[in-house]
Amino acid sequence: MIERYTLPEMGELWTENAKLKTWLQVEIAVCEAQAELGYIPAEAVEEIKAKANFDPKRVLEIEAEVRHDVIAFLTNVNEYVGDVGRYIHLGLTSSDVLDTALALQMVASLDLLLSCVEELGQAIRYQAQQHRETVMVGRSHGIHAEPITFGFKLAGWLAEVCRNRQRLVKMRDNIAVGKISGAVGTYANIDPRVEAIACQKLGLQPDTASTQVISRDRHAEYVQILALLTASMERFAVEIRNLQRTDVLEVEEYFSKGQKGSSAMPHKRNPIRSERLTGMARIVRGHAVAALENVALWHERDISHSSVERVILPDACILTHFMLKETTNLVKNLLVYPENMKRNMNVYGGVIFSQRVLLALVEKGMIREDAYQIVQSCAHQAWNQPNGNFQDLICKNEEIKSKLSEAEIAACFDPKHHLKHLDDVYQRLGI
């Protein structure tokens, strides 16, 4: 991922040095397991641990000649450890190291993402508490529907973040899997007990039944879970973009001192963060498709997945991490305009209360179809008219007046009716 969107905490997990470090971590864990079972001398392992090292530049130099990254790495490590290097990689194939080490990187990335999801959830929770009673219009199809509160909208976001967290936790178990089973996965030259001991040392579980590689359905699920998480953040971002439109302006991204919105138009305050989040989510979704393509490998293995994963796994983790930090900051500093929400809710004289009038008439004995026609007629007379006033038309309608008193009509236009059960949602979320 380009530096612009790479934050150091996640970026460091996917550097070349970090990758080679995990390779060495796996090799040493296997050596320790071999020694515990008596396959190699314990003193040799201690010497390996004391001397083992690598130089990323030297590894690349060797790879340029041998055209094999793991061989290049092992050659460089042996330049440090000397004769005891013969015990390194004993009975292993390259994928034992690559896939087990990759699992370590993916788990570390997931742990970082989980902490960021917690931060996002707390930011949304706080805003939901602050705006529990901030009344606004709810919209369906982009059209005014009925009253809600901004806090209720945020409660929906929080519930979605909680579901994403649950998915990540489950995914951590599914991806924390190692494979030390040799060529084509049959353990022909490595004791299965070595795999069990090495994986335990690394905080992983042995794969149930690997081929020469860990099956890529695990990795595809990983990227799909990230794509789903970023899609949620995109949903939040799109909502903010819609609510920030000039003709709506119910919320707005924080606009810092000295910030410029347009090179041509000084008045502009654009939702650039939300738009950036929308674009990033598209990239992660694209990576999810590529990850699915990696599942179908030839026979016990090929390396068609390798080039893809070198791009999509670091990028998906780095982008998701960036998006979580950006979304959290966006929510924390969101500008909310309750007066504009009130203004928009009452446009055209409160047409959004049409259902309450309809139901009140039906409760008074009017046939629903007749009531609907009368209420709709009043609503459409007010709709898109400069001085349109639905409530005024309702109050003047003789058929309605014959059924409802002034107090009963006024009660239909009280938004509190629509909010009386929102506490149930808040209780479910522990807000």
Side-chain angles (χ1 to χ4, degrees):
M1 178 47 58
I2 62 175
E3 290 184 9
R4 184 180 182 91
Y5 303 133
T6 303
L7 300 177
E9 308 98 303
M10 183 64 80
E12 288 171 6
L13 296 177
W14 293 97
T15 61
E16 188 71 10
N17 190 70
K19 180 185 75 174
L20 297 179
K21 198 172 182 179
T22 57
W23 289 8
L24 187 57
Q25 189 179 351
V26 172
E27 293 283 7
I28 289 175
V30 172
C31 287
E32 290 175 331
Q34 296 265 37
E36 286 186 26
L37 294 171
Y39 290 118
I40 64 176
E43 57 271 19
V45 177
E46 292 307 311
E47 186 174 351
I48 289 169
K49 289 165 68 176
K51 293 181 177 179
N53 208 339
F54 58 86
D55 179 354
K57 291 183 179 178
R58 176 61 180 149
V59 173
L60 290 175
E61 288 176 3
I62 301 169
E63 186 181 355
E65 178 184 350
V66 302
R67 309 291 290 178
H68 193 293
D69 54 357
V70 176
I71 292 174
F73 167 73
L74 292 170
T75 301
N76 181 227
V77 171
N78 281 321
E79 290 174 342
Y80 287 92
V81 300
D83 289 344
V84 292
R86 67 183 182 275
Y87 295 117
I88 299 175
H89 207 71
L90 199 63
L92 272 59
T93 189
S94 297
S95 294
D96 291 328
V97 180
L98 293 174
D99 283 6
T100 306
L102 181 59
L104 294 176
Q105 286 182 287
M106 294 172 76
V107 167
S109 297
L110 209 52
D111 287 342
L112 181 54
L113 294 177
L114 277 167
S115 68
C116 293
V117 167
E118 289 288 349
E119 291 175 7
L120 175 58
Q122 288 304 317
I124 296 173
R125 184 180 296 273
Y126 174 78
Q127 291 285 31
Q129 291 169 334
Q130 296 300 111
H131 295 285
R132 188 182 188 118
E133 297 180 3
T134 303
V135 182
M136 67 181 297
V137 65
R139 297 169 172 90
S140 58
H141 303 274
I143 309 301
H144 286 198
E146 293 192 342
I148 60 171
T149 70
F150 187 56
F152 174 69
K153 185 187 292 287
L154 291 167
W157 294 10
L158 178 60
E160 193 162 337
V161 169
C162 291
R163 289 194 296 275
N164 277 300
R165 184 188 178 281
Q166 291 169 356
R167 295 182 187 112
L168 290 174
V169 170
K170 183 179 179 181
M171 186 64 247
R172 193 188 188 284
D173 290 336
N174 292 343
I175 203 63
V177 166
K179 176 255 183 215
I180 309 292
S181 52
V184 301
T186 60
Y187 302 97
N189 300 298
I190 190 83
D191 190 327
R193 293 178 297 169
V194 171
E195 179 184 65
I197 295 170
C199 283
Q200 184 180 35
K201 290 177 179 293
L202 296 168
L204 305 174
Q205 292 292 327
D207 194 9
T208 309
S210 66
T211 61
Q212 191 158 320
V213 295
I214 292 174
S215 296
R216 259 43 198 178
D217 64 293
R218 295 182 186 271
H219 304 73
E221 183 184 15
Y222 185 94
V223 183
Q224 287 178 84
I225 295 299
L226 298 189
L228 192 52
L229 171 56
T230 56
S232 292
M233 289 186 279
E234 181 187 17
R235 181 171 88 86
F236 309 157
V238 168
E239 184 67 15
I240 291 170
R241 288 167 60 193
N242 272 316
L243 295 179
Q244 185 167 334
R245 295 198 327 268
T246 307
D247 50 333
V248 177
L249 201 55
E250 294 178 352
V251 305
E252 189 176 30
E253 291 184 8
Y254 178 74
F255 200 83
S256 61
K257 184 178 180 180
Q259 184 175 340
K260 304 289 192 296
S262 166
S263 63
M265 297 166 284
H267 71 278
K268 295 298 289 296
R269 290 163 65 109
N270 302 323
I272 57 171
R273 287 185 164 184
S274 300
E275 291 171 336
R276 180 161 56 222
L277 290 167
T278 300
M280 288 178 168
R282 295 169 184 168
I283 299 172
V284 181
R285 277 199 295 279
H287 288 342
V289 174
L292 287 169
E293 296 289 342
N294 277 348
V295 175
L297 304 180
W298 284 19
H299 304 300
E300 278 57 61
R301 75 155 306 188
D302 63 51
I303 62 165
S304 61
H305 65 286
S306 176
S307 56
V308 181
E309 289 173 356
R310 290 175 193 265
V311 175
I312 68 170
L313 292 179
D315 279 15
C317 291
I318 289 169
L319 275 177
T320 303
H321 179 242
F322 184 96
M323 289 180 68
L324 282 166
K325 289 290 187 181
E326 188 85 336
T327 306
T328 300
N329 187 277
L330 183 59
V331 171
K332 280 183 176 180
N333 297 293
L334 193 65
L335 303 176
V336 181
Y337 302 126
E339 288 303 314
N340 290 352
M341 292 177 175
K342 185 177 180 181
R343 176 202 67 201
N344 292 338
M345 188 176 69
N346 292 318
V347 71
Y348 306 135
V351 289
I352 63 171
F353 297 99
S354 67
Q355 182 177 194
R356 289 298 305 141
V357 179
L358 168 65
L359 294 177
L361 291 171
V362 172
E363 289 169 5
K364 290 291 185 175
M366 187 177 287
I367 296 173
R368 179 183 173 84
E369 287 74 13
D370 294 341
Y372 192 104
Q373 186 176 7
I374 294 168
V375 175
Q376 184 185 49
S377 176
C378 291
H380 286 185
Q381 287 178 60
W383 189 264
N384 200 31
Q385 298 301 316
N387 298 310
N389 193 319
F390 174 68
Q391 186 171 4
D392 186 54
L393 291 170
I394 291 295
C395 290
K396 292 177 179 178
N397 186 282
E398 294 299 328
E399 290 183 272
I400 294 175
K401 287 166 62 179
S402 69
K403 295 290 184 179
L404 301 175
S405 68
E406 290 184 7
E408 288 172 329
I409 292 174
C412 292
F413 290 83
D414 184 354
K416 291 181 181 178
H417 172 85
H418 298 266
L419 314 179
K420 61 184 179 181
H421 294 302
L422 296 191
D423 281 351
D424 293 349
V425 175
Y426 272 71
Q427 288 171 9
R428 291 172 198 157
L429 290 164
I431 302 177

